[in-house]
Amino acid sequence: MFRKTIIGAAVIAAAAGAVLLTKTIMDRLNDEQDSDQDEDDDQVHFIKIDADPDEEEKEPSPDASDKPQEVQEVCGVYPYLDPDFVEGLLAKNGEFNAMFENDTLITVTHKVTFEDHANLESFLDIMDAAGYICVQLSDHEMTAQKKLFTEEGAILSDILNVANQTAALHGVYESQVIAK
């Protein structure tokens, strides 16, 4: 009887060890997958929006080859933006960075206009999905607002993202207001 108890306890201990080992291995695999996914989340992902086949495709911005290398690189990432617009924003980057201390919560409000109301609606859908608070001011005008923490280049990046999306949908980026 004593021998059966010892053997039974050994079988139970072995089973518990196997379960614990399996759980540890599965947890490690899940952690590796999560860290791989986190690394992927830090990368920029572009979303392709299919245009209406009846609609004329807007050509990306004019050639930026006569502009400084930095402007050319930014225009490569934001192909719908005019190189002169990009150059002007890059010149203001130091001013944007100096406005607030790092890690300050700010609100950036962008004003945009569209001749075609359908493009305004598309912009609204895209910006809502990206976490912006949108307010339609008229059939052709709206604001998109987002709160973010300041860091080097954060304001400039937000402006470039919104302006590029606006230009891709045949709109005009009018202005931005930055407030604490």
Side-chain angles (χ1 to χ4, degrees):
M1 177 94 164
F2 181 69
R3 190 177 291 197
K4 287 182 182 178
T5 305
I6 292 177
I7 293 174
V11 168
I12 291 173
V19 168
L20 182 60
L21 181 62
T22 302
K23 177 157 177 33
T24 303
I25 292 171
M26 293 302 290
D27 286 346
R28 283 185 188 163
L29 288 174
N30 287 338
D31 288 345
E32 287 175 10
Q33 287 175 347
D34 287 345
S35 69
D36 288 346
Q37 192 170 10
D38 288 345
E39 289 173 9
D40 289 344
D41 288 345
D42 292 341
Q43 297 177 1
V44 175
H45 298 280
F46 293 97
I47 300 170
K48 182 172 182 346
I49 301 171
D50 293 329
D52 184 358
D54 298 333
E55 188 175 310
E56 192 176 296
E57 181 90 17
K58 179 177 178 176
E59 292 296 318
S61 68
D63 184 27
S65 61
D66 62 333
K67 298 293 182 185
Q69 182 66 31
E70 186 179 23
V71 173
Q72 292 177 26
E73 289 173 5
V74 171
C75 287
V77 176
Y78 302 101
Y80 293 98
L81 295 180
D82 181 81
D84 292 332
F85 176 78
V86 171
E87 191 172 31
L89 278 178
L90 289 173
K92 291 182 179 180
N93 190 35
E95 181 183 324
F96 292 143
N97 290 330
M99 290 176 80
F100 305 99
E101 291 181 22
N102 274 350
D103 293 328
T104 301
L105 183 62
I106 62 166
T107 302
V108 182
T109 305
H110 308 273
K111 184 177 179 187
V112 297
T113 58
F114 294 90
E115 284 191 28
D116 184 358
H117 183 71
N119 288 341
L120 182 133
E121 291 293 327
S122 295
F123 180 83
L124 174 69
D125 293 341
I126 292 166
M127 298 312 280
D128 274 344
Y132 286 81
I133 298 170
C134 297
V135 176
Q136 190 169 336
L137 304 173
S138 70
D139 283 345
H140 303 286
E141 190 175 44
M142 75 178 315
T143 61
Q145 184 180 78
K146 187 169 192 173
K147 291 183 184 239
L148 55 99
F149 285 97
T150 57
E151 61 180 294
E152 183 75 26
I155 296 171
L156 175 67
S157 177
D158 191 56
I159 295 168
L160 289 169
N161 284 322
V162 174
N164 191 63
Q165 186 62 62
T166 303
L169 293 170
H170 312 286
V172 176
Y173 184 87
E174 298 289 339
S175 63
Q176 73 279 333
V177 175
I178 304 163
K180 193 170 179 182

